[in-house]
């Protein structure tokens, strides 16, 4: 194996090259290499300046996340960056790709920074439950002011270097068609030969306090961080650093960084980072097919959302509907999606026009003959879907992949009507499809490896996170969601109130309360979905409050009444009648009502998720516990800083889980709280 850091000389310039795939992260060997390089060139009288550059896909993308699970190894990154800044010869960072976290901190410690204009920089540590730990909270405000640094550090967003063209952060930004190494060398040679080169140290500057109202700033950050501790800690460090010198500031930063590294939130967020990357990995080896032309059957809200995503990612889309009127409405929906993206400044009108130019429409299935992938997105009716797949079987080329976006119907049954069922899979998008990142790729009994891997490769192009799941009612996500919903319904019957349940769940960290979500998605939809399977006989309260709402015509937001009532502006308020009706229903069913604490509500809802997750693993519907977490983080608003339901199970540990499940089994039957194999997750 070659060394991760190598040294070379070009005339009188020393070059430190990092070559540590995939993203040149600052592992112990890279940190040591940087120190060795600086010392070597400092001691070489022939060297006038030192360049730090990286090979392959990017400048350093940060500290090595894999090392965070263990005790820090020397040399520590703060010492490395300080050593670079203290170097007696000018050090120049040559940036491209994504220079993030510790990578950006290395660049900030250099005396000069140059970059290709396509480079992105940022301090995304908060996304891992951390704060910058190698001078980022100290050197960045010294370069761009505390206001901009606050925005960058507490949001964790990556910024184009062009954002800083009016600051001193970059000494030169090269256009994207230039050769970075050659341009950097030319830049440094020029400084050396003209004698203009200096040892300007960012750490010696003072921080400019350009924030007028600190109280307001801190409270806004607290509001935005929604339970995440790292952004608040970073903000307070920035405030405390005013007036401190770099050594004092870095000592403060390091203490808080090390504390956060051991925190539960950071463990959860680091786990989520790894789980997302693992989700797209399978044991399959087939080569994905090339997909350019995509057919979408159905131009409703979901179908048009899916079409928008494909068009935005450069695919040609053929939208097929039953008649010209439905087709026109579908096209309008897609145009509306792009219009809204233009209004929000996400894309330009020219971009929208060019995406729309790849959209064609037809009412004739024959027009799908050249499609590489067809996705059926019509309403949930098995017979209708089978009729569509029979037609697709006739008109599509043999290698075309046939996907259904069904949320809960049996894909094996759908596949049974085509000649070659190996090309049938599920591609379950989440609503709104052009916003939600999750895609469940559903493996039916006969789905081919190639069809599945093609769908996953397509998902990557769509910038979606795909997770492979098997066939069962609701697949992984909605099956768990049904179990979660069932528990909420049960708690309503046992005496918890509508608003109390939702407040307890959002207070715990869920993006929305389960009952508010039901009102949003429509109680009629849930009712019809459940009607297609028989209710469990052992569960006397099974979705009874939901049934009650449906029978009263309270379908949720669409009828201005559901669990909540809605005014003409869509503002929700509590409807005491609902709690009263549910409590009457509970009495009729023989439930004894009691008081619930918020903790009890959130705990029980999460335990229901864990229980169903374990069943999914046992049934082989999902291969990895972490895939379940990815589904919940990206499809159901589970708080990222809590890792996901299965991560929560690990945190609770075997004893606590067993005890909790046993308690619930004493309240309800073992069919509802089945014996589970905790070794599947612990
Ligand atoms: C930090 O720097 C703390 C310091 O302030 C203080 C320290 C004292 N380490 O995402 P991709 C792997 S905290 C190790 O699929 P992309 C990743 O697991 C860090 N490995 O590619 C994957 O591996 P595999 C601050 C890393 O092109 C492969 O690289 N920095 C790291 O879509 C490709 O990743 C960050 O938070 C890492 N730091 O996106 C940056 N980063 O092939 C985190 C990536 O085995 N990283 N890997 O699955 C990212 O945001 C994206 O990975 C990046 C590339 C934008 C760089």
């Amino acid at each position: 194996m070659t060394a991760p850091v190598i040294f070379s000389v070009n005339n009188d310039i020393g070059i430190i090259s990092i070559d540590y795939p995939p993203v040149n992260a600052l592992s112990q060997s890279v940190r040591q290499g940087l120190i060795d390089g600086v010392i070597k060139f400092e001691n070489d009288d022939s060297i006038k300046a030192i360049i730090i550059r990286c090979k392959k896909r990017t400048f350093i993308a940060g500290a090595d996340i894999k090392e965070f699970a263990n005790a820090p190894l020397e040399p520590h990154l703060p010492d490395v960056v300080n050593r670079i800044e203290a170097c007696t010869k000018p050090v120049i960072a040559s940036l491209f790709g994504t220079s993030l976290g510790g990578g950006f901190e290395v660049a900030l410690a250099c005396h000069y920074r140059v970059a290709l204009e396509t480079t992105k920089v940022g301090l995304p540590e908060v996304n891992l439950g951390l704060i910058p730990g190698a001078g980022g909270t100290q050197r960045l405000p010294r370069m761009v002011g505390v206001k901009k640094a606050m925005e960058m550090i507490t949001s964790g967003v990556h910024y184009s270097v062009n954002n800083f063209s009016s600051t001193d952060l970059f000494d030169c930004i090269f256009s994207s068609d230039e050769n970075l190494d050659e341009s950097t060398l030319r830049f440094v040679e020029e400084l050396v030969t003209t004698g203009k080169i200096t040892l300007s140290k960012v750490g010696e500057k003072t921080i400019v306090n350009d924030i007028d109202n600190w109280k307001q700033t801190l409270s806004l950050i607290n509001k935005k961080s929604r339970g995440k501790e790292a952004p608040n800690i970073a903000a307070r460090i920035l405030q405390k650093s005013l007036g401190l010198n770099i050594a004092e500031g870095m000592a403060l930063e390091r203490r808080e960084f090390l504390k956060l590294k051991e925190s539960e939130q950071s463990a959860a967020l680091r786990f989520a980072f790894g789980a997302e990357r693992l989700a797209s990995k399978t044991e399959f080896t087939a080569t994905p097919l090339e997909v350019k032309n995509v057919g979408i059957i159905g131009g409703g809200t979901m179908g048009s959302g899916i079409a928008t995503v494909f068009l935005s990612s450069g695919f040609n889309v053929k939208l097929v509907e039953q008649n010209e009127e439905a087709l026109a409405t579908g096209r309008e929906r897609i145009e509306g999606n792009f219009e809204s993206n233009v209004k929000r400044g996400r894309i330009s009108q020219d971009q929208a026009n060019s995406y729309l130019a790849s959209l064609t429409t037809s009412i004739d299935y024959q027009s799908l003959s050249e499609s590489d992938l067809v996705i059926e997105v019509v309403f949930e009716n098995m017979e209708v879907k089978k009729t569509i797949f029979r037609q697709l079987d006739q008109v599509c080329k043999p290698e075309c992949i046939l996907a259904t976006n069904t949320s809960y119907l049996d894909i094996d049954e759908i596949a049974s009507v085509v000649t070659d069922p190996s090309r049938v899979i599920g591609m379950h998008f989440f609503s709104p499809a052009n916003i939600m990142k999750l895609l469940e790729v559903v493996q039916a009994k006969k789905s081919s490896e190639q069809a599945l891997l093609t769908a996953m490769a397509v998902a990557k192009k769509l910038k979606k996170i795909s997770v492979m799941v098997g066939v069962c009612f609701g697949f992984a996500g909605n099956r768990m969601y049904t179990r979660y919903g069932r528990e909420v319904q049960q708690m309503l019957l046992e005496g918890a109130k509508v608003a109390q349940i939702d407040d307890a769940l959002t207070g715990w960290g869920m993006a929305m309360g389960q009952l508010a979500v039901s009102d949003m998605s429509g109680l009629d939809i849930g009712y019809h979905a459940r009607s297609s399977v028989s209710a469990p006989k052992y569960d006397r309260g099974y979705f009874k409050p939901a049934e009650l709402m449906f029978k009263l015509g309270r379908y949720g937001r669409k009828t201005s009444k559901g669990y909540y009532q809605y005014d003409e502006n869509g503002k929700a308020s509590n409807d005491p009648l609902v709690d009263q009706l549910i409590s009457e229903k509970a009495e009729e069913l023989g439930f004894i009502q009691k008081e619930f604490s918020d903790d009890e509500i959130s705990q029980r809802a999460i335990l229901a998720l864990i229980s169903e997750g374990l069943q999914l693993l046992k049934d082989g519907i999902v291969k990895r516990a972490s895939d379940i977490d990815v589904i919940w983080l990206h499809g159901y608003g589970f708080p990222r800083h809590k890792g996901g339901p299965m991560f929560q199970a690990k945190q609770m540990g075997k004893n606590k889980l067993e005890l909790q499940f046993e308690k619930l089994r004493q309240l309800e039957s073992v069919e509802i709280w089945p014996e589970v194999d905790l070794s599947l997750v612990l």
Side-chain angles (χ1 to χ4, degrees):
M1 211 177 93
T2 53
V5 185
I6 51 169
F7 316 122
S8 58
V9 174
N10 190 309
N11 296 325
D12 47 6
I13 295 165
I15 300 172
I16 300 177
S17 296
I18 303 174
D19 186 7
Y20 190 64
V23 294
N24 292 315
L26 289 155
S27 67
Q28 192 277 339
S29 55
V30 173
R31 298 195 299 275
Q32 189 61 57
L34 279 170
I35 293 250
D36 293 346
V38 166
I39 294 173
K40 174 183 162 64
F41 290 132
E42 202 174 39
N43 291 336
D44 182 340
D45 289 342
S46 67
I47 296 296
K48 302 279 187 299
I50 305 165
I51 294 173
I52 298 180
R53 66 179 283 272
C54 287
K55 290 194 171 180
K56 309 217 167 82
R57 66 193 256 196
T58 180
F59 190 76
I60 309 164
D64 191 338
I65 296 171
K66 291 188 286 301
E67 284 187 0
F68 287 155
N70 306 313
L73 295 170
E74 288 186 342
H76 304 306
L77 193 57
D79 300 330
V80 176
V81 298
N82 287 339
R83 184 66 187 84
I84 293 172
E85 190 168 69
C87 180
T88 52
K89 295 186 178 160
V91 186
I92 298 91
S94 175
L95 275 56
F96 69 106
T98 41
S99 165
L100 303 173
F104 191 33
E105 289 171 307
V106 165
L108 284 164
C110 291
H111 308 104
Y112 291 86
R113 283 158 295 283
V114 298
L116 273 187
E117 64 177 347
T118 46
T119 310
K120 294 233 166 116
V121 294
L123 292 172
E125 287 84 348
V126 290
N127 299 332
L128 300 170
L130 299 167
I131 56 166
T137 65
Q138 303 303 308
R139 290 193 175 89
L140 187 59
R142 282 174 166 80
M143 285 310 288
V144 299
V146 74
K147 192 170 172 184
K148 184 74 188 168
M150 179 76 84
E151 175 197 310
M152 290 179 74
I153 293 171
T154 58
S155 71
V157 166
H158 308 172
Y159 293 73
S160 156
V161 288
N162 289 325
N163 279 288
F164 303 98
S165 46
S166 62
T167 72
D168 295 335
L169 189 56
F170 292 97
D171 299 281
C172 197
I173 296 177
F174 305 120
S175 79
S176 56
D177 53 9
E178 285 186 62
N179 177 309
L180 177 64
D181 289 331
E182 286 170 16
S183 300
T184 305
L185 258 178
R186 253 198 322 276
F187 171 85
V188 179
E189 274 164 2
E190 164 94 11
L191 283 177
V192 170
T193 48
T194 55
K196 285 189 187 149
I197 201 148
T198 61
L199 271 174
S200 160
K201 296 182 183 172
V202 177
E204 287 177 356
K205 296 179 191 285
T206 46
I207 300 179
V208 177
N209 178 14
D210 49 1
I211 292 184
D212 306 323
N213 189 335
W214 273 91
K215 199 166 163 227
Q216 197 182 44
T217 303
L218 296 180
S219 117
L220 198 67
I221 286 161
N222 187 35
K223 200 165 153 218
K224 277 195 193 156
S225 56
R226 296 198 71 236
K228 287 193 229 108
E229 53 197 8
N232 290 306
I233 292 175
R236 265 179 267 122
I237 289 182
L238 282 163
Q239 188 184 30
K240 284 188 194 159
S241 299
L242 297 171
L244 296 187
N245 67 33
I246 185 90
E248 292 163 339
M250 280 185 72
L252 173 68
E253 176 195 79
R254 179 78 177 161
R255 266 198 309 278
E256 295 299 330
F257 172 85
L258 290 176
K259 262 196 254 165
L260 281 173
K261 192 168 86 74
E262 300 309 317
S263 70
E264 214 167 279
Q265 286 201 359
S266 180
L269 288 162
R270 275 155 28 209
F271 161 82
F273 179 85
E276 284 162 355
R277 277 146 191 88
L278 194 60
S280 61
K281 298 191 167 75
T282 72
E283 77 274 22
F284 298 159
T285 51
T287 310
L289 293 168
E290 181 82 21
V291 174
K292 277 188 83 168
N293 301 318
V294 179
I296 304 218
I297 302 176
T301 311
M302 196 64 185
S304 56
I306 295 174
T308 308
V309 180
F310 274 96
L311 290 166
S312 309
S313 304
F315 292 88
N316 300 320
V317 171
K318 170 81 69 189
L319 180 71
V320 173
E321 258 293 0
Q322 293 184 67
N323 53 53
E324 292 293 348
E325 201 186 338
L327 209 50
T329 315
R331 181 181 262 282
E332 272 166 31
R333 287 197 179 103
I334 298 169
E335 285 168 352
N337 289 339
F338 282 118
E339 213 174 280
S340 130
N341 284 344
V342 172
K343 267 198 199 124
R344 283 163 203 253
R346 291 188 186 136
I347 52 169
S348 67
Q349 187 60 54
D350 282 354
Q351 263 172 313
N353 295 345
S354 98
Y355 294 146
L356 279 166
S358 305
L359 172 68
T360 50
T361 59
S362 175
I363 54 166
D364 183 1
Y365 275 58
Q366 196 62 47
S367 66
L368 297 168
S369 61
E370 288 311 306
S371 297
D372 306 305
L373 164 70
V374 175
I375 308 176
E376 163 277 305
V377 199
V378 306
F379 59 98
E380 297 282 33
N381 179 300
M382 181 56 88
E383 285 319 308
V384 173
K385 290 192 192 260
K386 280 185 177 170
T387 309
I388 290 172
F389 274 76
R390 278 191 199 100
Q391 293 187 68
L392 294 177
D393 195 34
Q394 299 296 311
V395 298
C396 293
K397 58 186 180 185
E399 64 275 25
C400 172
I401 293 164
L402 308 179
T404 168
N405 178 57
T406 180
S407 304
Y408 54 85
L409 293 178
D410 182 351
I411 301 179
D412 290 318
E413 192 177 335
I414 298 174
S416 70
V417 303
V418 305
T419 320
D420 173 13
S422 78
R423 61 175 170 150
V424 178
I425 58 167
M427 284 179 83
H428 180 217
F429 288 83
F430 285 68
S431 183
N434 44 334
I435 310 272
M436 299 292 281
K437 280 194 83 107
L438 181 64
L439 176 71
E440 282 181 324
V441 173
V442 192
Q443 177 178 21
K445 270 199 196 93
K446 296 190 175 156
S447 306
S448 72
E449 287 189 8
Q450 190 168 50
L452 294 161
L453 288 182
T454 303
M456 294 191 87
V458 164
K460 198 162 185 194
K461 286 197 183 138
L462 301 177
K463 298 201 175 64
K464 299 274 175 210
I465 295 187
S466 58
V467 180
M468 192 140 43
V469 299
V471 174
C472 64
F473 182 80
F475 315 123
N478 281 347
R479 176 166 146 183
M480 282 176 77
Y481 191 72
T482 305
R483 179 66 186 84
Y484 174 68
R486 182 267 168 203
E487 212 51 38
V488 165
Q489 296 278 311
Q490 180 72 15
M491 288 190 275
L492 282 173
L493 292 169
E494 288 180 19
K497 305 292 174 229
V498 169
Q500 189 199 3
I501 291 187
D502 278 357
D503 289 350
L505 295 173
T506 51
W508 190 80
M510 300 298 290
M512 275 179 84
Q514 197 275 338
L515 296 164
V517 173
S518 302
D519 270 4
M520 198 171 73
S521 48
L523 296 175
D524 51 330
I525 309 270
Y527 179 83
H528 291 308
R530 280 186 302 277
S531 308
S532 67
V533 285
S534 46
K537 296 227 164 32
Y538 48 81
D539 197 351
R540 71 190 149 125
Y542 191 74
F543 284 93
K544 290 293 183 208
E547 186 183 302
L548 183 67
M549 294 297 112
F550 174 79
K551 292 199 167 147
L552 290 170
R554 299 184 69 121
Y555 295 169
R557 280 189 176 272
K558 63 173 91 164
T559 57
S560 300
K561 278 188 174 152
Y563 291 108
Y564 297 89
Q565 54 193 354
Y566 299 88
D567 68 15
E568 60 277 11
N569 300 317
K571 193 171 179 307
S573 66
N574 217 12
D575 187 346
L577 178 67
V578 173
D579 285 324
Q580 187 200 319
L581 290 171
I582 293 174
S583 128
E584 285 167 14
K585 186 77 191 169
E587 202 176 321
E588 183 193 316
L589 291 165
F591 283 91
I592 299 160
Q593 299 223 309
K594 63 158 199 150
E595 296 267 316
F596 274 84
S597 72
D598 287 0
D599 274 357
E600 211 177 333
I601 292 171
S602 54
Q603 271 282 315
R604 199 156 140 187
I606 303 307
L607 283 165
L609 283 178
I610 295 173
S611 170
E612 197 64 33
L614 287 161
Q615 297 300 311
L616 284 171
L617 286 166
K618 187 178 117 232
D619 297 348
I621 300 296
V622 179
K623 300 273 185 318
R624 289 176 290 239
S626 62
D627 287 353
I628 294 177
D629 291 324
V630 172
I631 289 173
W632 272 77
L633 293 180
H634 291 283
Y636 299 90
F638 200 95
R640 195 175 168 84
H641 61 279
K642 296 210 168 166
M646 306 324 271
F647 180 83
Q648 282 295 309
K650 262 188 239 152
Q651 297 303 101
M652 281 185 214
K654 191 167 186 293
N655 291 348
K656 186 168 173 197
L657 268 180
E658 266 169 359
L659 200 75
Q660 299 278 4
F661 281 139
E662 198 41 53
K663 262 198 212 159
L664 288 160
R665 257 174 235 132
Q666 280 162 19
L667 284 178
E668 298 187 88
S669 69
V670 73
E671 281 111 327
I672 294 168
W673 294 99
E675 298 286 347
V676 281
D677 179 2
L678 295 176
S679 69
L680 289 169
V681 67
L682 298 176

